């Protein structure tokens, strides 16, 4: 390309200064003359066009190039300007876009393109780019659509004179080449996006070859104006940002919020294809040439705008490209690894990167396929790329809305915090209905009076008919508005709650759903059961409704509930028990579809494709309920030593095999892990998993003995619970990587059935490297890992199959995106529930485990069996090249496991603290109560908020005492008299024992009141301890602070007040 055409966007003559002054005056007068509302930046046209361009030209002088004759003749007719700006506005279409092409211009008639285009100093041509060849016989609908566009152009005077002409261009792709089917990517076809890629390249070259355009604006049919003078605003922004290679917008929706940390950087920061391209910029020339050269390779499986982002990211930072389509394989059937090109792209960036070649637009917003409402759009935005724009709630059009809030009756009355938050938010609700299980009418009256005096919005307090069954709230809620939404106190409202309604004039609420065949549904345990119930109403029901995002029609709800109750009455008792989930939003919609009114009552939106409109989000995550109750607090372990159930949390590639063999072989403990089931298979006792015996037994391997279960997977854990592994007494120690599943299914809060956890921690980067090399070695024997065979560790680190924050996910029981909140939960679990060991100090770690659990060695020192395992060789060790801490590989793996790295550093601190704490005497408990406050500085004092499922799952945690027996029991009962004890430290211990009994009470209200009383008393005692220490001039022995709080003795960590997530 000629150097004369490089960056023609910056070409202006000295006469532009005069023109700018004229335009400034004209822009100021136009609103008065025509009363046209437009953005402030139009008024500042004269200033914003000239000065940025002058500065840009000083940085990068560009030789002037005269326009062609056709353009010059147009400019000559303009008395104000002889040399203007020329834009190619390109609309791309395929063979199936005839209808959308015509409809896409309707908004052009609603929103004027410019204020006075006839006297403007720019020219714009509309170029309709067709992916195939123009043939009236082959594509009659396209021909008809083009005629309609031409007729509209003529009828609107070229949309008020802003479009000089309408032109066509044919990309001439064959039917085989013109592919754009995302489903093909799932099937492994790398050609799935070939059509848009080739069409973009050929259209760009066509616009470039004319030599008359300064830039190309790619404006697909789903990009539409939302403000007047949108073309003027766009051209003004182009001028004010020049010079650049690419001007566009990143994704602005919220569909990625839940998994953004899993997305490649290039995807997160890519500029959407609906952008302005400088056809004369040399950097853009390089990029398009690269796309053309990659057409026949696997790079072509990535859409052109995403690939441009990869090129920019690799050039600027050196990060290799990610390949986000695991179903597309290379020629050898392995995982695709794109060859990085850092030298080439780095050279380009070095030459052009300093000039900021890629800029973000404030005029264009990109929502892609995400559902959004017009209120989401910033006031400066003139153009939107999006498919699903809905209307916001309007009380005059859509009626009144109530909010029904379910409360579980917990001790700290979380409904109060919820009401404060909803009152502070921007919401559409005219009434709040609070449903709870109150004990008396006086309590209902008290809450009602408090709400009336505190909040401006009316709050109706309603007592639940069945205090132990919360799932009828949908049908029991007494509302007097047209619609209502439902949520519970374990959710928090957003600061602004927007409801979506169809924009087609029907005023129907928009209901997001998840398709039943989606993995988002199949991976959700309740989805199948919910759909099964819904199909009793409508057998073809394939939608799983999102309960927090549906507006219930009050009248239709009433009809549905009557039908639901009639169906339940006709069922056998066993069938009623199976449907204990109660009426669901999915069944409600199924009922409406059965009546044939679902489509007229609601507009349905695929949440996977379009996203969903979040109104309420889960409150801050808390320690999983099962871990809180079913795992022993490590500091209180000695009081329960007679019923110890050691559970080794096996973190992969962290010495787990060594620990298991040491316990089973050297100590001759009976172990429940995965080995017993494996031994059964190896000895030929089983033909397959279905042949497993229905009784538990021990399987011997020499002097090692294993229980014949496999607790390393959910199926084996369920079988262990079914056969009562804990009650059998066969196992001395349990080993599993699934800590939450084991605590939830196998163990229980009853004394004698709780587990005490210990674990070996290893640096996550070293663990990730070991895992990679182990799986790579395994790939030679197991074809399921074949894709790792030719992969480098750097490729693995940036691939989608690399492990990411495994420990934090396991400890917080969160499979989706994790963040700092989940890290705090993981720290809480490690601090309260786990005896910490380190792979870097195996000898000391095993000594602690021996001491803690009372395992006695046969000799004073390590015996030969133990010595060989601890000092000579680690079993299942994977010898591989170590990762240098200053290497790129270490950085990539650390970035992928940032939360796990922080958790490991915290575990190292606790290892030091616990090492001192194991020898601390009980007389130090006063100091423990004071020091413990440090680790909970961010939590509300003595606050407990149970998980959403607490009431629904309490039947899974049977108490050891009935409610009647609980009041008069042993020293651990609630009848124990703590007030008569004079020693503060002993009184604190007594209250802890009493609080433990409180947690075993099955009635929620009584349990909450009991715990609250204990907490209040404990708080007073702790204050007394602190006051006494201040008065006596005693200084607390502060341990050194770590990254996330103070370090301290393990007994000081674990003895103290109740935190938000349970007893410490």
């Amino acid at each position: 390309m000629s150097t004369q055409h490089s960056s023609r966007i910056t070409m202006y003559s000295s006469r532009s200064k005069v023109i700018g002054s004229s335009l400034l005056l004209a822009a100021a007068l136009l609103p008065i003359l025509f009363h046209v509302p437009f953005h402030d930046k139009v008024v500042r046209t004269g200033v914003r066009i000239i000065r940025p361009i002058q500065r840009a030209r000083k940085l990068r002088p560009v030789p002037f190039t005269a326009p062609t004759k056709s353009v010059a003749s147009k400019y000559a007719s303009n008395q104000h300007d002889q040399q203007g700006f020329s834009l190619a506005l390109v609309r791309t279409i395929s063979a199936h876009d005839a209808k959308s092409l015509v409809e896409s211009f309707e908004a052009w008639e609603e929103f004027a393109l410019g204020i006075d285009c006839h006297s403007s100093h720019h020219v714009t041509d509309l170029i309709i780019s067709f992916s195939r060849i123009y043939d009236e016989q082959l594509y009659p609908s396209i021909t008809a659509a083009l005629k309609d566009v031409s007729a509209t152009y003529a009828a609107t005077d070229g949309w008020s004179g802003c479009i000089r002409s309408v032109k066509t261009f044919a990309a001439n792709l064959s039917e085989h080449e013109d592919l754009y089917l995302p489903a093909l990517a799932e099937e492994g076809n790398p050609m799935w996006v070939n059509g848009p890629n080739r069409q973009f390249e050929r259209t760009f070259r066509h616009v470039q070859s004319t030599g008359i355009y300064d830039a190309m604006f790619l404006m697909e049919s789903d990009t539409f104006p939302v403000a007047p003078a949108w073309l003027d605003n766009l051209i003004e922004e182009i001028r004010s940002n020049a010079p650049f290679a690419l001007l566009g917008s990143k994704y602005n929706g919220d569909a990625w919020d839940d998994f953004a940390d899993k997305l490649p950087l290039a995807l997160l920061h890519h500029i959407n294809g609906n952008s302005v391209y400088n056809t004369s910029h040399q950097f853009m020339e390089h990029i398009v040439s690269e796309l053309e050269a990659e057409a026949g390779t696997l790079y072509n499986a990535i859409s052109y705008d995403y690939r441009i982002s990869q090129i920019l990211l690799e050039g600027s930072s050196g990060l290799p490209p990610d390949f986000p389509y695991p179903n597309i394989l290379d020629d050898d059937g392995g995982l695709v690894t794109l060859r990085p090109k850092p030298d080439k792209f780095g050279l380009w960036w070095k030459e052009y990167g300093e000039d900021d070649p890629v800029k973000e637009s404030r005029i264009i917003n990109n929502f892609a396929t995400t559902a959004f409402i017009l209120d989401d759009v910033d006031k400066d935005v003139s153009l939107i790329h999006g498919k699903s724009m809905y209307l916001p709630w309007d009380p005059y059009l859509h009626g009144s809305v109530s909010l029904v809030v379910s409360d579980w009756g917990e001790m700290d009355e979380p409904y109060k915090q919820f009401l404060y938050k909803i009152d502070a938010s921007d919401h559409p609700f005219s009434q709040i209905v609070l449903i709870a299980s109150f004990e008396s009418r006086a309590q209902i009256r008290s809450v009602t009076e408090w709400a009336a005096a505190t909040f401006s919005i009316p709050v109706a307090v309603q007592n639940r008919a069945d205090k132990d069954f919360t799932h009828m709230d949908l049908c029991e809620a007494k509302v007097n508005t047209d619609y209502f939404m439902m949520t519970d106190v374990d959710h928090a409202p957003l600061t602004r709650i927007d409801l979506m309604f169809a924009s087609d004039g029907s005023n129907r609420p928009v209901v997001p759903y998840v398709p039943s065949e989606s993995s988002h549904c199949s991976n959700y345990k309740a989805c199948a059961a919910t759909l099964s119930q819904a199909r009793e109403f409508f057998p073809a029901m394939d939608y799983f409704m999102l309960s927090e995002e549906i507006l219930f029609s009050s009248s239709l709800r009433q009809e549905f509930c009557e039908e639901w109750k009639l169906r339940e009455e006709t069922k056998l008792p066993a069938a009623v028990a199976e449907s204990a989930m109660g009426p669901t939003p999915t069944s409600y919609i199924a009922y409406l579809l059965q009546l044939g009114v679902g489509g007229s009552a609601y507009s349905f939106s695929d949440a996977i494709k379009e996203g969903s409109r979040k109104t309420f989000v889960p409150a801050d995550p808390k320690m999983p309920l099962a871990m809180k109750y079913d795992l022993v607090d490590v500091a209180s372990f000695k009081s329960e030593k007679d019923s110890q159930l050691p559970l080794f949390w096996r973190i992969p590639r962290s010495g787990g095999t060594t620990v298991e063999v040491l316990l089973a072989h050297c100590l001759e403990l009976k172990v429940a892990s995965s080995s017993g089931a494996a031994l059964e298979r190896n000895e030929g006792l089983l033909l397959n998993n279905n042949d497993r015996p229905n009784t538990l037994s021990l399987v011997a391997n020499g002097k090692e003995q294993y229980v014949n279960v496999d607790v390393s997977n959910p199926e084996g854990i369920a079988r262990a619970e079914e056969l009562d592994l804990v009650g059998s007494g066969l196992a001395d120690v349990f080993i599993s990587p699934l800590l939450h599943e084991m605590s939830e299914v196998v163990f229980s809060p009853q004394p004698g059935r709780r587990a005490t956890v210990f674990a070996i921690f290893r640096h996550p980067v070293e663990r990730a490297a070991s895992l990679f090399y182990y799986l790579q070695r395994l790939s030679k024997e197991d074809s399921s890992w074949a894709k790792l065979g030719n992969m480098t560790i750097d490729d693995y680190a940036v691939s989608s199959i690399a492990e990411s924050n495994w420990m934090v996910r396991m400890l917080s029981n969160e499979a989706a995106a994790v963040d700092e909140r989940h890290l705090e939960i993981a720290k809480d679990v490690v601090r309260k529930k786990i005896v910490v060991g380190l792979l870097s100090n195996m000898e000391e770690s095993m000594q602690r485990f021996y001491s803690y659990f009372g395992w006695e060695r046969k000799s004073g020192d390590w015996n030969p069996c133990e010595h060989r395992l601890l000092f000579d060789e680690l079993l299942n060790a994977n010898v591989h090249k170590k990762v240098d801490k200053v290497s790129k590989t270490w950085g990539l793996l650390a970035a992928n496991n940032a939360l796990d790295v922080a958790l490991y550093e915290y575990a190292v601190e606790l290892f030091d603290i616990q090492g001192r704490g194991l020898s601390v005497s009980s007389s130090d408990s006063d100091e423990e109560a004071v020091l413990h406050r440090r680790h909970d500085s961010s939590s509300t004092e003595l606050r407990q908020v149970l998980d959403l499922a607490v009431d629904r799952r309490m039947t899974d945690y049977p108490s050891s005492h009935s409610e009647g027996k609980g009041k008069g029991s042993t020293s651990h009962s609630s009848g124990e008299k703590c007030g008569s004890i004079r020693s503060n430290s002993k009184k604190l211990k007594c209250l802890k024992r009493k609080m433990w009994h409180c947690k075993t009470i099955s009635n929620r209200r009584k349990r909450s009141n009991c715990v609250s009383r204990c907490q209040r008393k404990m708080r007073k005692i702790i204050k007394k301890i602190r006051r006494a220490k201040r008065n006596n001039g005693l200084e607390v022995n502060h341990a050194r602070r770590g990254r996330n709080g103070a370090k301290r003795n393990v007994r000081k960590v674990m003895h103290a007040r109740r935190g938000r997530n349970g007893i410490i």
Side-chain angles (χ1 to χ4, degrees):
M1 166 172 281
S2 171
T3 57
Q4 287 183 317
H5 294 284
S6 61
S7 298
R8 286 185 55 213
I9 292 181
T10 63
M11 296 186 302
Y12 297 93
S13 70
S14 59
R15 295 186 58 188
S16 298
K17 297 181 181 179
V18 179
I19 298 166
S21 301
S22 302
L23 285 175
L24 183 61
L25 177 61
L29 292 174
L30 279 173
I32 301 173
L33 297 175
F34 300 101
H35 304 286
V36 179
F38 55 89
H39 301 306
D40 292 343
K41 54 194 164 199
V42 175
V43 179
R44 297 192 297 269
T45 298
V47 177
R48 296 189 62 191
I49 289 178
I50 303 303
R51 291 180 182 173
I53 297 301
Q54 290 174 333
R55 289 195 295 267
R57 293 184 65 183
K58 290 179 182 178
L59 293 173
R60 191 171 182 175
V62 178
F64 174 75
T65 303
T68 61
K69 292 182 179 180
S70 59
V71 179
S73 61
K74 187 267 181 183
Y75 292 145
S77 63
N78 188 333
Q79 297 179 1
H80 298 287
D81 193 8
Q82 297 294 329
Q83 299 156 0
F85 173 82
S86 182
L87 176 69
L89 196 161
V90 174
R91 174 140 296 175
T92 55
I93 59 171
S94 67
H96 308 288
D97 293 338
K99 182 179 179 182
S100 62
L101 173 65
V102 176
E103 294 176 347
S104 66
F105 291 103
E106 293 177 359
W108 288 30
E109 300 178 39
E110 180 179 356
F111 295 103
L113 283 71
I115 298 174
D116 186 9
C117 292
H118 290 289
S119 61
S120 66
H121 58 287
H122 60 76
V123 61
T124 302
D125 287 332
L126 172 63
I127 301 178
I128 300 177
S129 170
F130 182 45
S131 59
R132 308 277 179 90
I133 186 173
Y134 282 114
D135 188 313
E136 185 173 354
Q137 294 182 344
L138 290 176
Y139 310 109
S141 61
I142 293 295
T143 304
L146 291 175
K147 292 179 179 179
D148 287 344
V149 173
S150 297
T152 302
Y153 172 78
T156 58
D157 187 24
W159 291 284
S160 302
C162 295
I163 302 296
R164 182 182 64 174
S165 63
V166 178
K167 303 179 181 180
T168 58
F169 167 73
N172 293 333
L173 297 178
S174 66
E175 185 176 354
H176 172 72
E177 294 173 316
D178 191 17
L179 291 178
Y180 179 50
L181 295 171
L184 292 180
E186 297 292 328
E187 298 173 5
N189 189 336
M191 292 284 288
W192 73 276
V193 73
N194 186 74
N197 286 353
R198 302 288 79 73
Q199 187 174 7
F200 167 76
E201 296 160 6
R202 297 183 184 184
T203 303
F204 180 90
R205 291 303 189 199
H206 168 72
V207 172
Q208 188 183 57
S209 66
T210 62
I212 62 174
Y213 299 109
D214 298 304
M216 176 184 86
F217 174 44
L218 184 58
M219 185 179 180
E220 296 173 349
S221 297
D222 55 357
T223 299
F224 51 89
V226 292
W230 57 269
L231 184 58
D232 283 353
N233 296 340
L234 176 66
I235 292 176
E236 178 193 350
E237 185 179 49
I238 293 173
R239 287 170 164 160
S240 64
N241 280 281
F244 60 82
L246 176 63
L247 172 68
S249 62
K250 298 178 183 178
Y251 175 64
N252 198 44
D254 58 7
W256 293 353
D257 289 356
D258 292 336
F259 50 87
D261 63 329
K262 287 294 183 185
L263 296 177
L265 284 176
L267 180 59
L268 276 175
H269 299 288
H270 90 284
I271 300 294
N272 179 262
N274 289 270
S275 300
V276 179
Y277 301 88
N278 188 345
T279 55
S280 57
H281 199 291
Q282 194 61 34
F283 196 12
M284 202 68 231
E285 170 67 23
H286 285 317
I287 290 174
V288 175
S289 297
E290 185 69 18
L291 296 178
E292 291 170 332
E294 293 176 348
T297 68
L298 285 171
Y299 294 100
N300 187 51
I302 299 174
S303 61
Y304 69 89
D305 51 352
Y306 183 9
R307 180 60 185 144
I308 290 174
S309 180
Q310 289 183 336
I311 292 172
L312 295 170
L313 184 64
E314 188 174 356
S316 60
S317 65
L319 287 177
D322 188 81
F323 193 79
Y325 308 108
N327 293 334
I328 299 177
L329 305 178
D330 59 21
D331 294 338
D332 298 327
L335 189 69
V336 172
T337 301
L338 296 178
R339 180 177 61 85
K341 307 174 184 179
D343 294 338
K344 178 192 291 187
F345 301 156
L347 186 63
W348 295 352
W349 188 260
K350 183 177 180 181
E351 183 175 357
Y352 304 105
E354 293 183 358
D355 293 340
D356 197 12
V358 179
K359 297 185 178 180
E360 287 192 62
S361 170
R362 293 187 301 118
I363 297 299
I364 310 168
N365 255 195
N366 170 35
F367 289 95
T369 60
T370 305
F372 69 99
I373 60 176
L374 193 57
D375 289 355
D376 294 333
V377 182
D378 295 335
K379 65 177 183 179
D380 291 338
V381 172
S382 297
L383 292 164
I384 288 179
H385 170 234
K387 294 184 181 299
S388 306
M389 186 175 75
Y390 298 108
L391 296 178
W393 172 75
D394 184 332
Y396 300 103
L397 291 176
H398 307 126
S400 55
V401 183
S402 292
L403 176 64
V404 177
V405 183
S406 295
D407 177 73
W408 317 120
E410 294 306 326
M411 62 172 185
D412 56 352
E413 300 177 325
Y415 68 84
K416 291 187 176 180
Q417 294 299 321
F418 181 92
L419 291 176
Y420 279 118
K421 291 178 181 178
I422 194 69
D423 189 58
S425 68
D426 182 5
H427 64 79
F429 307 118
S430 56
Q431 180 190 35
I432 305 293
V433 178
L434 174 65
I435 303 182
S437 299
F438 295 111
E439 293 294 325
S440 64
R441 292 183 179 179
Q443 187 179 14
I444 297 175
R445 184 167 56 254
S446 174
V447 174
T448 303
E449 293 173 353
W450 167 79
T454 307
F455 307 110
S456 57
I457 183 174
V459 178
V461 183
Q462 179 181 333
N463 205 19
R464 194 171 283 116
D466 187 344
K467 294 180 174 59
D468 296 320
F469 191 66
T470 64
H471 307 305
M472 288 300 294
D473 289 357
L474 170 59
C475 291
E476 290 184 359
K478 299 176 181 178
V479 296
N480 53 19
T481 51
D482 300 297
Y483 293 98
F484 68 92
M485 295 189 75
M486 294 196 67
T487 187
D488 55 58
V489 293
D490 284 309
H491 284 75
L494 298 178
T495 54
R496 175 177 172 177
I497 298 175
D498 291 312
L499 307 179
M500 296 190 302
F501 291 83
S503 56
D504 57 4
S506 64
N507 295 328
R508 295 172 297 162
V510 177
V511 180
Y513 68 88
V514 176
S516 59
E517 68 274 9
S518 165
S519 60
H520 298 267
C521 182
S522 59
N523 293 338
Y524 180 46
K525 295 180 180 178
C527 188
T530 303
L531 285 170
S532 176
Q533 184 194 83
R535 286 166 181 161
E536 296 177 10
F537 292 94
F538 188 62
M541 184 64 178
D542 287 327
Y543 297 163
F544 178 79
M545 316 312 298
L546 304 173
S547 59
E548 304 292 336
E549 299 168 19
I550 181 173
L551 268 180
F552 294 94
S553 165
S554 300
S555 57
L556 294 176
R557 182 280 308 256
Q558 194 63 32
E559 298 175 17
F560 159 70
C561 288
E562 292 174 0
E563 178 67 19
W564 190 87
K565 291 175 182 178
L566 286 175
R567 288 174 180 262
E568 292 299 295
E569 290 174 359
T570 60
K571 290 182 179 179
L572 297 175
V576 172
E578 290 181 1
S579 61
M581 69 178 68
T584 66
T586 305
S587 295
Y588 164 74
I589 294 297
Y591 169 74
L592 300 184
L593 293 174
Q594 175 204 19
L595 296 180
V597 299
S600 58
Y602 292 99
S603 173
F604 297 101
S605 166
D606 188 333
I608 305 301
K609 295 180 179 178
E610 300 184 9
S612 58
R613 191 77 187 181
K614 292 182 179 179
T615 50
F616 301 93
V617 296
D620 290 340
K622 297 173 282 289
M623 183 189 295
L625 184 67
M627 293 185 185
K628 183 190 303 183
Y629 287 119
D630 300 353
L631 303 180
V632 174
D633 286 357
V634 292
S636 62
F637 167 74
K638 292 182 179 180
S639 65
E640 303 184 24
K641 204 164 187 177
D642 294 338
S643 58
Q644 63 181 359
L645 294 174
L647 169 59
F648 178 65
W649 180 40
R650 186 170 189 167
I651 302 172
R653 310 307 305 163
S654 301
T657 303
T658 297
V659 173
E660 179 172 342
V661 174
L662 194 150
L663 297 176
H665 188 79
C666 302
L667 291 183
E668 299 182 12
L669 297 176
K670 296 184 284 292
V671 176
S673 61
S674 60
S675 299
L679 285 170
E680 279 188 327
R681 289 192 296 269
N682 293 340
E683 294 177 6
L685 301 178
L686 297 177
L687 295 177
N688 54 58
N689 289 336
N690 296 327
D691 295 330
R692 292 194 179 282
N694 56 7
T695 58
L696 295 174
S697 62
L698 293 173
V699 182
N701 179 33
K703 62 179 181 179
E704 301 171 14
Q705 295 187 81
Y706 297 93
V707 185
N708 62 335
V709 292
D710 182 358
V711 292
S712 66
N713 59 70
E715 295 77 13
I717 291 174
R719 178 173 177 270
E721 189 273 337
E722 181 182 350
L723 300 178
D724 193 13
L725 173 62
V726 172
S728 71
L730 289 178
D732 296 322
V733 63
F734 305 81
I735 300 177
S736 175
L738 304 179
L739 185 58
H740 179 263
E741 287 78 358
M742 286 291 290
S743 58
E744 183 179 44
V745 177
V746 175
F747 301 100
S748 71
Q750 292 177 317
R753 300 185 71 92
R754 304 173 75 209
T756 304
V757 183
F758 62 109
I760 295 290
F761 288 82
R762 184 183 187 183
H763 196 289
V765 174
E766 296 175 354
R767 196 176 68 79
S770 177
L771 180 63
F772 165 72
Y773 287 113
Y774 173 77
L775 294 176
Q776 192 174 58
R777 187 183 67 186
L778 193 65
S779 67
K780 299 176 182 178
E781 305 170 4
D782 188 346
S783 58
S784 61
W785 296 105
K787 61 183 68 175
L788 291 172
N790 299 321
M791 187 181 290
T792 67
I793 189 170
D794 286 357
D795 296 337
Y796 168 76
V798 297
S799 70
S800 58
I801 62 173
E803 216 177 58
S804 174
N805 298 312
W806 184 89
M807 292 192 298
V808 171
R809 293 179 190 281
M810 289 292 106
L811 294 178
S812 62
N813 190 35
E814 180 59 63
V818 288
D819 53 32
E820 294 290 337
R821 300 174 304 159
H822 300 90
L823 172 61
E824 293 304 315
I825 295 298
K827 287 181 179 180
D828 203 31
V829 175
V830 174
R831 183 175 76 249
K832 297 175 182 177
K833 304 293 185 180
I834 299 178
V835 182
V836 174
L838 299 177
L839 185 67
S840 59
N841 197 345
M842 279 291 286
E843 180 182 11
E844 173 65 20
S845 299
M846 293 308 302
Q847 284 179 343
R848 293 186 188 184
F849 298 157
Y850 276 45
S851 172
Y852 196 81
F853 293 107
W855 295 327
E856 297 181 0
R857 298 200 291 264
K858 295 181 179 180
S859 61
D861 199 359
W862 299 110
N863 62 40
C865 172
E866 296 164 330
H867 192 280
R868 179 175 63 85
L869 291 172
L870 292 176
F871 302 105
D872 295 345
E873 58 176 333
L874 291 176
L875 293 181
N876 202 29
N878 186 32
V879 180
H880 59 82
K881 181 181 177 181
K882 301 299 181 184
V883 179
D884 191 342
K885 290 187 177 181
V886 296
S887 66
K888 174 184 175 182
T889 301
W890 184 282
L892 292 173
L893 292 173
N896 208 32
N897 294 277
L899 299 179
D900 269 10
V901 170
L903 181 63
Y904 173 77
E905 293 171 352
Y906 185 72
V908 172
E909 295 176 4
L910 282 178
F911 182 77
D912 180 49
I913 296 170
Q914 290 184 354
R916 299 192 303 271
L918 287 173
S919 60
V920 174
S921 64
S922 60
S923 63
D924 292 328
S925 59
D926 287 356
E927 188 177 356
E928 295 160 12
V930 179
L931 289 182
H932 172 70
R933 291 178 177 272
R934 286 184 181 175
H935 266 299
D936 283 326
S937 59
S938 62
S939 301
T940 305
E941 283 194 355
L942 307 177
R943 186 164 177 250
Q944 178 194 32
V945 181
L946 296 179
D947 286 333
L948 166 64
V950 60
D951 294 317
R952 305 177 186 179
R953 292 218 319 258
M954 279 311 296
T955 54
D956 298 333
Y957 306 99
S959 62
S960 56
H961 308 281
S962 65
E963 293 177 31
K965 295 179 181 179
K967 294 185 178 181
S969 187
T970 64
S971 61
H972 291 269
S973 73
S974 63
E976 185 177 7
K977 302 298 183 181
C978 299
S980 60
I981 301 175
R982 295 178 63 86
S983 169
N984 283 331
S985 61
K986 292 181 180 180
K987 187 181 295 186
L988 199 61
K989 288 182 178 180
C990 176
L991 287 170
K992 290 180 190 175
R993 291 195 300 270
K994 195 166 184 175
M995 187 183 292
W996 165 244
H997 168 77
C998 292
K999 295 196 306 182
T1000 64
I1001 299 175
S1002 60
N1003 183 275
R1004 287 189 309 278
R1005 194 65 191 173
K1006 292 181 179 180
R1007 181 178 69 248
S1008 298
N1009 291 337
C1010 181
V1011 172
S1012 296
R1013 285 194 298 270
C1014 291
Q1015 287 180 326
R1016 286 194 297 270
K1017 294 177 181 179
M1018 288 172 66
R1019 187 186 297 112
K1020 292 179 180 179
I1021 294 172
I1022 292 172
K1023 289 181 178 179
K1024 288 181 180 179
I1025 294 171
R1026 298 186 69 184
R1027 190 181 305 115
K1029 285 193 176 293
R1030 283 196 303 268
N1031 294 338
N1032 294 333
L1034 298 177
E1035 293 186 0
V1036 177
N1037 180 23
H1038 292 284
R1040 64 181 178 83
R1041 278 195 175 271
R1043 178 174 177 180
N1044 289 287
K1047 294 177 57 177
R1048 61 194 64 79
N1049 179 296
V1050 66
R1051 294 172 62 83
K1052 295 172 185 175
V1053 174
M1054 306 306 173
H1055 282 66
R1057 61 180 175 81
R1058 189 180 186 85
R1060 178 171 182 174
N1061 290 300
I1063 297 177
I1064 299 177

